[in-house]
Amino acid sequence: MTFEEMQQDFIRVRFAVPSLPIAGILVYAGIALASLATPPSYRNLVLFVGFWFIMPVGAAIMRLRGEENGPFPENPLFELSALARVMVLATWSIHIPVWVYAPDLFPLTVGIAFALHWVVSGWSRGTSIGLTHLAMRIALVLVAWHAVPSNRVGAVSAAVAVSYLISVLQFRFSAASSGLPAKTAPDGRS
């Protein structure tokens, strides 16, 4: 399989608009809303617990959409994508001490660090959307964190949800301009 064939296979299996960013919109919007009804001393806990809902919500969306979920040993881009997610999960070794010793910074570190794997995901698809998502997320999270000190968890979560939404729309428009349907079934059907 050539590299270009690997990229096309990656997009075909994961769809032109992948399910995990859709889950990110829903989960981070939920965290932002929950933060409004949560006492300030528990908001970091809401962010922590909410974060762990992304994969199960994403898996449910994948099943509903018919998106395949590996393993795919013939295409190393799937393993690279999984390893990139492991890499960002390792940043919990930073987030937990930040939560304990500098709790105001916790939403900032979580909001930015978990966008790092987007660079690999975008590159695996042959698009700059991953780099765009990372840059946009850094900017929006920093602005939100500074602008709303009274509810940084809510503001940062809303910024992350907006970043996901914009990236999903970019995926959709990119697919449309390339002639790909936003959702292609594993057998090639739209």
Side-chain angles (χ1 to χ4, degrees):
M1 189 180 291
T2 68
F3 183 71
E4 290 78 18
E5 291 170 335
M6 284 187 248
Q7 285 181 317
Q8 289 303 315
D9 182 54
F10 189 79
I11 294 167
R12 179 189 61 78
V13 172
R14 288 288 184 244
F15 296 162
V17 179
S19 295
L20 282 174
I22 296 168
I25 295 167
L26 298 172
V27 170
Y28 276 102
I31 294 167
L33 289 173
S35 76
L36 297 173
T38 304
S41 61
Y42 291 100
R43 288 182 182 147
N44 282 347
L45 181 61
V46 169
L47 177 58
F48 174 79
V49 171
F51 169 84
W52 294 103
F53 274 91
I54 293 173
M55 289 305 288
V57 169
I61 293 170
M62 288 173 86
R63 276 192 296 279
L64 290 171
R65 298 176 74 212
E67 190 173 336
E68 291 182 59
N69 193 14
F72 304 99
E74 67 281 355
N75 188 341
L77 292 180
F78 291 99
E79 183 176 0
L80 177 63
S81 180
L83 290 171
R85 285 191 298 274
V86 169
M87 175 188 68
V88 297
L89 285 172
T91 64
W92 277 109
S93 62
I94 299 166
H95 305 311
I96 299 297
V98 167
W99 185 3
V100 171
Y101 296 107
D104 281 349
L105 292 174
F106 181 69
L108 183 68
T109 65
V110 169
I112 292 173
F114 289 110
L116 295 174
H117 72 286
W118 273 77
V119 174
V120 173
S121 178
W123 178 82
S124 296
R125 294 171 162 276
T127 178
S128 63
I129 293 172
L131 287 167
T132 303
H133 179 86
L134 177 62
M136 171 179 50
R137 190 150 147 185
I138 289 169
L140 290 176
V141 164
L142 285 170
V143 168
W145 187 85
H146 283 289
V148 189
S150 61
N151 187 356
R152 287 183 162 139
V153 167
V156 165
S157 296
V160 171
V162 167
S163 298
Y164 273 122
L165 177 61
I166 292 168
S167 294
V168 163
L169 293 173
Q170 287 177 313
F171 277 130
R172 177 68 181 109
F173 292 128
S174 175
S177 68
S178 68
L180 288 171
K183 176 183 172 193
T184 303
D187 63 4
R189 294 176 289 115
S190 294

